[in-house]
Amino acid sequence: MNDWQSILQYKNLSHFLSAICQKNQHKVAYQCLGKSHTYAEIDHLSTLFAKWLQHESGLNAGDRIVIQLPNITQYPIAAYGAIKAGLIIVNTNPLYTPREMHHQFNDSGAKALIILEDLLPKYEAIKEHVNIEKVITTKVTDFIQATENQSNYIDFMSILSQSESLSNLSPSEAQLEDIAILQYTGGTTGVAKGASLTQSNIISNAAQMSERILQIDNIENGNFICPLPLYHIFAFTVNMISLFSIGACNILIPNPRDIDNLVETFKSNTITGMAGINTLFVALCHHPEFPNINFSNLQLTISGGSALNTSTFHLWKKLTGCTISEGWGLSETSPVLTLNEFGKQIPGSIGTPIVDTILEVWGPDNKPLPQGEVGELAVKGPQVMKGYWNRPEETAKAIINGYFLTGDIGLQMPNGAFKIVDRMKDMIIVSGFNVYPNEVEEVLCSHDEILEAAVVGGPDERSGEAVIAHVVLHQDSELTTKQVEDYCRENLAAYKVPRQIHFHESLPKSTVGKILRRELRSA
């Protein structure tokens, strides 16, 4: 048995989490808004919540429970508690509209909801049209200062305080092949689908990540800033499962868009690492106080969620002295598939597959292509989902002979690492030639006066499609459209040069910080 596979000795996620908490009981597990909780405290509080779920909520093992919270300590307590009680977690974006909540709640068949009290008006708008039986509310500051429950629903903190006297928790009977999480896709190519991630998927991916993370000396005693939302599978697995499993401390950031506060968190803590996204790294690097921070303890920076620009890679290295390890994965793969090896990072590459992951480049006939040829990336490994929730036809299209078709176009480089060319759906065809937005964006962002860029396709009578660039300039830049065009002509073939260039103060982004090309297409 490989070292990383030894983690599969655990019967399920509940067993796994309890063992981790016991091993690291005196260490700090989470810090949020200046309040810290040890592993022992997180274990105790999550068990209290699990006892209530098991004995008082009316829910049964296998029922779905929605967690709709920002990055606050209540999130891991609720998630771990739900796992201990044998429930299936439905991770939900706090910024979802009532329409999006309605779809996800009904599609998952959720019976319970844990929601931030401030978000209740959105739930109230749909409550007559969903089958939620129990609504539990909490506030951002609940662990900082005691306040009165202002809602008519069940108070999360009251559950914790009243559950001490409940009967002991019966251990979860979930098996490794049972579903632990329904992680909904973004729905960019249609209706959002729930990726069914099993107990084994999550444990395996946490172990696969840990195998690579633990190559860094003493990393298990580090402090990791967690600005990416825990409802996103990237932070859920990397921070709340993998880093938690090695005994690290996660510093939760409730609002990652507050860059001033994020910079202050860097300044007031000894930071070992952070997982982020390209746009977040850019925002930090251009904050006036960021270069003044002492980064001598920063050992690990991981990028995921969207392509990392080479210019961002070099700027981060220049300011912090720490290189960024770009990785890649999807909601359907728990999510991590590849990661650049620490100290051996290759800018522009997503690195090599993590342990026990098979990655191939497939042609239209679903057969592997030779090294260097471009095709769809297909992956096989213990982290690949069971399927799409209640969508057998969609599952059959996505998983062929055990390989998940990712929808990403890529190639294998001569050094064995892989490179993402683009999403299949984002490819632009100009007069029969393929144009990949990532490549054009990379060129645009390499210009000293361009802060961010997004490239989409638009209709064109002559060429079928035209390349359209949306650009954000650095403050005080007076760069003109012609200067941008000239720069692109110096670095790109003529058919790849943007036909239109639009300047913006900012670009539309998801809550994770990913630039939303689809909104620019419809603008």
Side-chain angles (χ1 to χ4, degrees):
M1 180 182 290
N2 295 329
D3 288 343
W4 80 268
Q5 289 179 318
S6 65
I7 203 166
L8 295 182
Q9 67 182 293
Y10 298 107
K11 179 181 177 181
N12 51 35
L13 263 173
S14 177
H15 182 203
F16 165 72
L17 291 170
S18 295
I20 294 301
C21 289
Q22 177 65 29
K23 177 182 177 182
N24 300 291
Q25 55 183 305
H26 300 301
K27 298 175 68 174
V28 175
Y30 288 97
Q31 178 183 319
C32 183
L33 301 175
K35 174 73 172 179
S36 297
H37 286 83
T38 65
Y39 277 78
E41 289 170 334
I42 293 294
D43 188 32
H44 178 64
L45 292 170
S46 61
T47 296
L48 291 177
F49 186 56
K51 286 167 63 174
W52 182 87
L53 289 172
Q54 200 171 78
H55 300 306
E56 298 291 321
S57 70
L59 301 173
N60 298 308
D63 284 343
R64 275 73 66 202
I65 182 168
V66 174
I67 302 180
Q68 193 169 18
L69 299 174
N71 283 14
I72 52 178
T73 310
Q74 294 91 308
Y75 204 118
I77 291 171
Y80 298 156
I83 290 168
K84 289 179 179 182
L87 303 183
I88 296 174
I89 296 169
V90 182
N91 283 321
T92 301
N93 187 338
L95 297 184
Y96 267 179
T97 64
R99 179 191 66 79
E100 292 164 317
M101 292 165 63
H102 178 268
H103 165 71
Q104 192 163 317
F105 293 3
N106 280 345
D107 187 79
S108 65
K111 292 185 178 180
L113 166 66
I114 307 170
I115 189 170
L116 199 69
E117 190 174 281
D118 294 348
L119 304 179
L120 280 173
K122 293 196 288 187
Y123 169 71
E124 296 279 357
I126 60 165
K127 69 176 185 179
E128 302 299 329
H129 307 287
V130 296
N131 296 313
I132 300 293
E133 298 172 5
K134 299 289 182 181
V135 178
I136 303 154
T137 66
T138 189
K139 294 180 284 296
V140 169
T141 57
D142 269 348
F143 277 112
I144 309 302
Q145 56 184 19
T147 55
E148 193 174 322
N149 180 20
Q150 299 296 317
S151 75
N152 296 318
Y153 300 103
I154 306 166
D155 180 59
F156 184 77
M157 300 304 287
S158 295
I159 289 175
L160 299 182
S161 64
Q162 295 169 10
S163 295
E164 293 280 3
S165 60
L166 293 178
S167 302
N168 290 337
L169 180 68
S170 299
S172 168
E173 294 298 323
Q175 302 298 303
L176 287 173
E177 65 270 19
D178 290 340
I179 298 170
I181 299 169
L182 290 184
Q183 190 70 36
Y184 276 76
T185 63
T188 54
T189 56
V191 65
K193 303 182 290 290
S196 299
L197 304 179
T198 66
Q199 307 268 330
S200 179
N201 288 155
I202 300 300
I203 293 175
S204 295
N205 204 225
Q208 290 169 306
M209 277 294 295
S210 298
E211 187 269 344
R212 192 157 289 187
I213 290 172
L214 286 171
Q215 295 174 12
I216 300 176
D217 291 339
N218 203 36
I219 199 74
E220 64 270 24
N221 294 315
N223 295 320
F224 290 82
I225 289 185
C226 181
L228 297 182
L230 293 172
Y231 64 77
H232 190 279
I233 193 62
F234 184 26
F236 189 99
T237 299
V238 172
N239 291 89
M240 215 162 71
I241 307 295
S242 187
L243 289 173
F244 185 80
S245 75
I246 68 173
C249 170
N250 280 295
I251 301 175
L252 301 180
I253 306 297
N255 179 15
R257 296 187 180 189
D258 184 352
I259 301 300
D260 289 343
N261 178 63
L262 189 52
V263 169
E264 185 57 38
T265 303
F266 263 102
K267 291 167 65 176
S268 57
N269 295 273
T270 301
I271 302 301
T272 310
M274 183 182 82
I277 194 168
N278 187 81
T279 51
L280 182 61
F281 297 132
V282 170
L284 284 170
C285 286
H286 289 91
H287 189 282
E289 293 297 319
F290 194 68
N292 301 325
I293 296 172
N294 180 357
F295 294 106
S296 59
N297 290 289
L298 187 64
Q299 299 182 67
L300 174 64
T301 309
I302 298 175
S303 173
S306 69
L308 176 71
N309 291 331
T310 303
S311 57
T312 305
F313 176 93
H314 289 299
L315 182 57
W316 184 267
K317 174 67 163 58
K318 177 183 176 182
L319 293 179
T320 70
C322 181
T323 48
I324 300 177
S325 292
E326 183 176 5
W328 167 70
L330 302 94
S331 296
E332 293 92 337
T333 60
S334 305
V336 185
L337 295 170
T338 68
L339 184 65
N340 269 268
E341 291 190 45
F342 311 127
K344 302 177 182 178
Q345 293 91 339
I346 304 168
S349 159
I350 56 171
T352 55
I354 56 177
V355 64
D356 211 34
T357 300
I358 302 171
L359 183 59
E360 297 180 347
V361 181
W362 282 11
D365 59 355
N366 292 333
K367 293 182 179 179
L369 296 172
Q371 186 184 75
E373 291 197 23
V374 175
E376 182 174 6
L377 296 177
V379 65
K380 188 175 187 178
Q383 68 271 58
V384 172
M385 68 174 180
K386 192 171 189 174
Y388 290 115
W389 177 257
N390 291 337
R391 297 178 188 272
E393 293 183 2
E394 296 278 0
T395 300
K397 292 177 185 177
I399 302 177
I400 298 177
N401 297 326
Y403 282 83
F404 174 66
L405 301 179
T406 65
D408 280 324
I409 305 171
L411 57 85
Q412 187 173 23
M413 303 163 72
N415 57 20
F418 284 80
K419 179 181 178 65
I420 296 288
V421 178
D422 226 308
R423 288 291 293 173
M424 289 180 68
K425 64 182 177 62
D426 288 335
M427 186 173 67
I428 306 165
I429 302 178
V430 179
S431 300
F433 292 99
N434 293 345
V435 178
Y436 300 107
N438 278 355
E439 179 186 11
V440 182
E441 291 169 1
E442 178 77 23
V443 168
L444 287 165
C445 289
S446 68
H447 193 290
D448 291 339
E449 295 186 51
I450 293 178
L451 182 64
E452 292 180 333
V455 170
V456 298
D460 187 90
E461 291 184 1
R462 290 189 304 163
S463 59
E465 282 190 287
V467 179
I468 302 172
H470 298 268
V471 173
V472 176
L473 301 178
H474 284 292
Q475 193 173 8
D476 301 326
S477 172
E478 297 181 357
L479 202 63
T480 66
T481 298
K482 184 178 185 306
Q483 288 172 318
V484 175
E485 289 177 351
D486 289 345
Y487 185 75
C488 287
R489 291 188 188 281
E490 291 175 11
N491 294 280
L492 294 166
Y495 67 90
K496 300 178 183 178
V497 174
R499 193 74 58 82
Q500 299 176 33
I501 297 171
H502 302 284
F503 295 106
H504 302 264
E505 290 187 2
S506 63
L507 296 176
K509 298 182 181 73
S510 70
T511 51
V512 184
K514 184 184 296 185
I515 294 173
L516 299 175
R517 287 174 178 159
R518 66 179 184 271
E519 291 195 12
L520 294 170
R521 289 192 200 97
S522 60

